[in-house]
Amino acid sequence: MSEIQATPQVTSAESGPDWQRVYRLMLTIRLFEERANDLYQRKIMPGLAHLSSGEEGVAVGVCTALRDDDYITSTHRGHGHCLAKGASADRMFAELLGKAAGYCGGKGGSMHIADQERGNLGANAIVGGSLGIATGAALSIKQRGSDQVAVSFIGDGALGQGVLYEVMNMASLWKLPIIYVCENNLYGEYTASSETIAGRPIERATAFGIPATEVDGQDVRAVYAATAEAVARARSGGGPAFLWCSTYRYFGHHVGDVDRGYYRSREEEQFWREQRDPISLARVWLEADGLVDAASLEELAEEVTHELDAAVEFAVAAPFPNPDQVATDVFA
Amino acid sequence: MSSPDPTPEGESRELTMAQAIREAIAEEMRRDSSVFVMGEDVAEAGTPFKVLSGLVEEFGPERVIDTPISEPGFTGMGVGAAMTGRRPVVDIMFGDFLGLVMDQVANQAAKVHYMSGGKLSVPLTIRTTMGASRRSAAQHSQSLHAWVSHIPGLKVVLPSTPYDAKGLMKTAIRDNSPVVFFEDKMNYQQRGQVPVAEYTIPLGVADIKRPGKDVTVIATSSMVLVAMEAAEVLAQEGIECEVVDPRTTVPLDREALINSVGRTTRAVVVDEGHRSYGVGAELAAVVSEGAFYFLDAPVRRLGAMDVPIPFSPVLEDLTVPTVQGLVDTVRELCGRK
Ligand SMILES: Cc1ncc(C[n+]2csc(CCOP(=O)(O)OP(=O)(O)O)c2C)c(N)n1
Ligand SMILES: [Mg+2]
């Protein structure tokens, strides 16, 4: 039945996934976003950029519990989801810069990266816009008799969209293999979620008979454990799940949002950065559990830095699309 | 002839389009306590484009209401509030989100007055945006004014200058029918003279932005700027363009368009919606029908390419009408190529 579940016990380090890889992915996202920010500030990256720095634990914890052939849908703040699902940074940067080598040939940009090979059905610039897509993918999984699952990443702001309640109802009725992962970063644009969300968010899922879990999104182990449990249930026909992950975005709503004083305090930002950083927290227990030593983490950081610098270099040097591309891909 | 705007005598100052719109709404809120604003991040944030900055400070959160991200819900509430004595100004952050609210707009707001035999009315204003060229990709760049212009019962406003925006917004708020008001994102920082004294501009009156005798360029919203620049270039070559801005697609000042083409005998329509089945097509049809005996050449149409707006700057810039494209079209039309 539709109970609100306790946060699952954190899996012991030994039985879990390759935690060093988990750490590496989180770091990759952090350094990717720093470079995206830099490219934007230097006016090399056009358009809008919504950075996910601070939210790496959710993207990586969830995607680590998925297979390559599982589906995800993502949001306007989607770089982390995309990398965590296995996309390569060079083609992502190329997309951010509108280059032909980008995942969408430059047609999508930051808010629309899709990576079909890794089951990423695309980021979406409409809040809640991919809820139907993800749930439809879950319907397709069921019809095809596959044991894949679908994950729909959404922000807390998407709780305002009525489509969420329509698809959760159907997902529950038809026992679809879909996991709704809500990243509660406390704000939708410049408004606190406390001003836009009535009641207890996870009860919106349990009202439809969907098991819901409150998860510490800054603890990648907890996110992984909660997702793994939901995935196992969904794969075996147990139907949907809802994860409400508390997290925080370090930057503004988008890179241009620098004067944030009117909606959130510096102290709050500092608290999350200093006390609740998912990467620093992971590092502490990784070292304490003897899974890694400081030296190997330094080495890893250097490796990732080199990789991402090379990816940026690739993207900057890559050519823009040929003008005739403007009229292709309109119809399949 | 058109443009008998009751331009008030006296002082004026330079405002941006965003400031002019804010001033219009603030004046109407002072004048009529039933006017209120509702939408996402309209209060302290003053919208992402800062169009409404300062309103919540003056009118308080009861009249400048921050909503959840629930466009269909709060637009529907705008319809209901309008039917029962309020004058809501509903903010739809991007015109693309009309996709979410079209039932409330087209099936509810547009129909209520007619279906009730004139008993009920919906004095609702929906503010939203249009326009590409900001590298915002396919879901944040559309110009969807044709969607609502197609639905009887809705009035549709497309201001191109701060002066027009202010006068038309005040009229829209006072109108007893639902009005959809499109603001081009590229125009928000555009500056222009706006009188200090109060004025309104009636809906359905076109404005001649530049008189000329050789060719009529009918342009809407930010395309008026494109037309004005093109007219400047063409003037150097001895081609005098008359730039006519309909300002509202519904009601449409057909007479002004037809009269202008009657004088110039040639017409080009420039509108940022997709070229096919759009506002441009309607405007072209109006002058083709109405000025048929005066026309020396077929009416031409420039619009956005019939493709989703791409992100990459090199592609996006190909999709929207440009000064050069318009200059070339006019030259061709005047046999100067
Ligand atoms: C339907 C819709 N309404 C409004 C917007 C504008 N918008 C973009 S992001 C955003 C806030 C989303 O908040 P949330 O879902 O919490 O995601 P976060 O940005 O916090 O990651 C808004 C209102 C949009 N893109 N789509
Ligand atoms: Mg949020």
Side-chain angles (χ1 to χ4, degrees):
Chain A
M1 268 286 24
S2 62
E3 68 292 5
I4 292 168
Q5 307 196 327
T7 300
Q9 282 306 299
V10 165
T11 43
S12 77
E14 302 81 56
S15 69
D18 177 351
W19 291 112
Q20 194 158 322
R21 182 175 170 277
V22 165
Y23 181 87
R24 190 183 205 282
L25 263 177
M26 288 200 292
L27 193 65
T28 303
I29 296 171
R30 179 69 51 90
L31 298 186
F32 182 97
E33 298 293 47
E34 278 173 12
R35 278 156 187 72
N37 191 34
D38 179 60
L39 288 166
Y40 189 90
Q41 303 298 349
R42 286 161 54 210
K43 301 198 179 343
I44 299 172
M45 175 182 169
L48 287 166
H50 305 84
L51 305 179
S52 66
S53 309
E55 306 187 353
E56 297 87 350
V58 181
V60 175
V62 168
C63 290
T64 300
L66 299 179
R67 298 195 312 235
D68 270 1
D69 68 336
D70 290 329
Y71 297 118
I72 64 164
T73 62
S74 171
T75 69
H76 57 285
R77 201 175 303 290
H79 303 161
H81 309 142
C82 196
L83 285 163
K85 196 66 176 56
S88 59
D90 49 2
R91 293 183 62 199
M92 282 181 62
F93 278 127
E95 189 59 39
L96 262 51
L97 303 190
K99 300 298 184 71
Y103 270 100
C104 311
K107 284 177 177 164
S110 162
M111 293 195 289
H112 299 288
I113 301 183
D115 174 13
Q116 205 211 354
E117 277 163 41
R118 300 296 185 133
N120 181 349
L121 297 177
N124 208 302
I126 303 293
V127 169
S130 64
L131 282 160
I133 294 171
T135 312
L139 175 64
S140 152
I141 290 169
K142 190 170 178 196
Q143 288 182 341
R144 288 185 280 109
S146 159
D147 71 343
Q148 295 160 284
V149 300
V151 166
S152 186
F153 286 103
I154 52 174
D156 49 280
L159 258 55
Q161 290 289 334
V163 67
L164 173 62
Y165 308 101
E166 301 183 14
V167 297
M168 284 204 301
N169 185 47
M170 287 183 271
S172 182
L173 279 171
W174 304 337
K175 288 230 175 303
L176 302 182
I178 168 103
I179 299 154
Y180 302 101
V181 176
C182 189
E183 297 174 319
N184 171 28
N185 60 11
L186 305 181
Y187 299 89
E189 282 193 347
Y190 323 107
T191 301
S193 344
S194 57
E195 290 169 34
T196 53
I197 299 173
R200 202 173 160 204
I202 58 173
E203 288 174 358
R204 298 184 182 198
T206 57
F208 293 104
I210 296 177
T213 312
E214 281 176 353
V215 185
D216 176 359
Q218 305 309 82
D219 183 349
V220 70
R221 292 171 302 176
V223 177
Y224 170 78
T227 312
E229 191 181 304
V231 166
R233 189 172 53 238
R235 282 207 206 290
S236 57
F242 184 93
L243 306 182
W244 175 251
C245 305
S246 59
T247 185
Y248 200 76
R249 63 163 156 79
Y250 290 169
F251 288 93
H253 169 62
H254 63 92
V255 282
D257 170 27
V258 282
D259 297 322
R260 301 186 283 271
Y262 69 93
Y263 74 91
R264 70 183 201 186
S265 70
R266 269 196 185 285
E267 292 69 41
E268 180 186 286
E269 295 188 356
Q270 218 168 345
F271 166 78
W272 284 85
R273 275 179 184 273
E274 288 171 9
Q275 311 288 318
R276 304 288 304 131
D277 181 64
I279 298 178
S280 310
L281 291 173
R283 187 172 176 147
V284 169
W285 61 260
L286 274 170
E287 287 185 2
D289 289 4
L291 287 170
V292 291
D293 54 57
S296 70
L297 287 187
E298 290 313 319
E299 213 172 286
L300 194 140
E302 229 168 89
E303 228 177 83
V304 174
T305 303
H306 281 310
E307 226 172 84
L308 289 175
D309 286 342
V312 169
E313 223 171 284
F314 165 84
V316 171
F320 281 106
N322 199 305
D324 63 11
Q325 290 302 302
V326 72
T328 62
D329 303 324
V330 178
F331 298 103
Chain B
M1 285 291 287
S2 75
S3 194
D5 282 347
T7 309
E9 303 294 308
E11 253 183 285
S12 73
R13 70 258 124 97
E14 203 179 65
L15 293 185
T16 64
M17 179 95 115
Q19 289 167 332
I21 291 166
R22 179 189 317 149
E23 199 171 88
I25 296 172
E27 284 180 13
E28 291 308 295
M29 288 179 80
R30 279 175 214 131
R31 178 178 172 269
D32 178 350
S33 64
S34 71
V35 178
F36 72 98
V37 172
M38 178 160 59
E40 293 150 21
D41 286 307
V42 294
E44 280 76 16
T47 78
F49 301 104
K50 304 294 169 203
V51 179
L52 302 183
S53 300
L55 285 193
V56 74
E57 284 77 4
E58 179 175 351
F59 301 102
E62 245 94 85
R63 291 181 70 197
V64 184
I65 306 172
D66 265 345
T67 63
I69 309 171
S70 306
E71 289 88 354
F74 68 73
T75 303
M77 289 165 71
V79 178
M83 288 166 66
T84 52
R86 313 300 290 169
R87 282 188 185 270
V89 179
V90 164
D91 187 289
I92 301 293
M93 198 183 289
F94 284 84
D96 311 72
F97 307 161
L98 279 176
L100 286 94
V101 302
M102 276 306 273
D103 179 63
Q104 300 308 321
V105 176
N107 288 331
Q108 312 302 337
K111 306 288 193 276
V112 162
H113 188 66
Y114 191 83
M115 288 194 308
S116 68
K119 299 230 163 35
L120 295 165
S121 61
V122 186
L124 165 72
T125 303
I126 296 176
R127 286 185 50 237
T128 193
T129 61
M130 61 187 284
S133 308
R134 296 180 74 252
R135 303 7 180 157
S136 303
Q139 294 175 337
H140 280 68
S141 303
Q142 298 172 89
S143 298
L144 298 175
H145 48 297
W147 285 13
V148 282
S149 299
H150 185 67
I151 304 296
L154 302 173
K155 297 184 178 180
V156 182
V157 183
L158 305 164
S160 69
T161 65
Y163 174 84
D164 287 352
K166 181 176 178 190
L168 292 165
M169 176 58 84
K170 287 170 70 76
T171 306
I173 293 172
R174 293 181 197 183
D175 200 288
N176 286 331
S177 295
V179 179
V180 187
F181 194 97
F182 284 91
E183 300 162 15
D184 193 300
K185 298 173 287 248
M186 298 303 277
N187 281 2
Y188 276 137
Q189 294 317 313
Q190 178 201 338
R191 299 178 159 276
Q193 288 296 316
V194 177
V196 174
E198 190 183 23
Y199 67 99
T200 59
I201 299 173
L203 307 187
V205 180
D207 186 40
I208 296 179
K209 295 290 191 230
R210 175 186 175 120
K213 61 176 180 28
D214 297 323
V215 54
T216 297
V217 179
I218 302 171
T220 59
S221 190
S222 69
M223 292 300 112
V224 171
L225 292 181
V226 169
M228 295 299 272
E229 263 187 67
E232 202 58 47
V233 173
L234 289 158
Q236 321 258 308
E237 305 171 11
I239 301 175
E240 294 300 335
C241 295
E242 177 146 295
V243 178
V244 185
D245 175 2
R247 298 197 290 197
T248 57
T249 54
V250 185
L252 180 63
D253 189 351
R254 293 185 171 77
E255 209 184 302
L257 308 185
I258 293 166
N259 287 346
S260 172
V261 177
R263 290 191 299 275
T264 62
T265 72
R266 290 180 174 84
V268 185
V269 177
V270 203
D271 176 82
E272 207 185 331
H274 292 298
R275 192 167 175 281
S276 298
Y277 303 100
V279 161
E282 175 64 20
L283 297 175
V286 163
V287 291
S288 297
E289 284 172 0
F292 180 75
Y293 293 107
F294 302 98
L295 280 169
D296 281 338
V299 179
R300 298 289 304 270
R301 229 182 332 152
L302 298 184
M305 283 179 75
D306 290 325
V307 304
I309 305 297
F311 164 71
S312 187
V314 298
L315 300 182
E316 183 177 32
D317 289 344
L318 300 172
T319 63
V320 288
T322 58
V323 172
Q324 190 56 52
L326 180 55
V327 166
D328 291 345
T329 305
V330 171
R331 276 186 192 141
E332 219 177 283
L333 202 58
C334 298
R336 297 286 185 91
K337 204 169 183 179

